[in-house]
Amino acid sequence: MTFLRDDAAGVPLRLGDQVLVGLSPGLTHPDRTVVGEADIASVRAGIVAALPASRGTSCG
């Protein structure tokens, strides 16, 4: 999947960077972008905690 991103709005991306992209329901563009393992690790606990509640959520 490809997303357009305003480089002036955040950390410039380089080939090989780890990126976590978040989209809220109903959006067609990312509303959150986290770059780098250290920053991704800081939000990982929240993602893992939310997984059980997502089981009843459909895609699309």
Side-chain angles (χ1 to χ4, degrees), residues 5 7 10-20 33-39:
R5 182 175 179 266
D7 283 341
V11 178
L13 298 177
R14 295 177 305 239
L15 184 63
D17 280 346
Q18 293 183 351
V19 180
L20 175 70
T33 305
V34 183
V35 180
E37 177 57 32
D39 290 337

Side-chain angles (χ1 to χ4, degrees), residues 14-33:
R14 295 177 305 239
L15 184 63
D17 280 346
Q18 293 183 351
V19 180
L20 175 70
V21 178
L23 287 95
S24 292
L27 291 183
T28 59
H29 61 280
D31 59 343
R32 182 168 188 182
T33 305

Side-chain angles (χ1 to χ4, degrees), residues 39-54:
D39 290 337
I40 292 170
S42 69
V43 297
R44 185 174 288 123
I47 293 169
V48 171
L51 288 174
S54 72

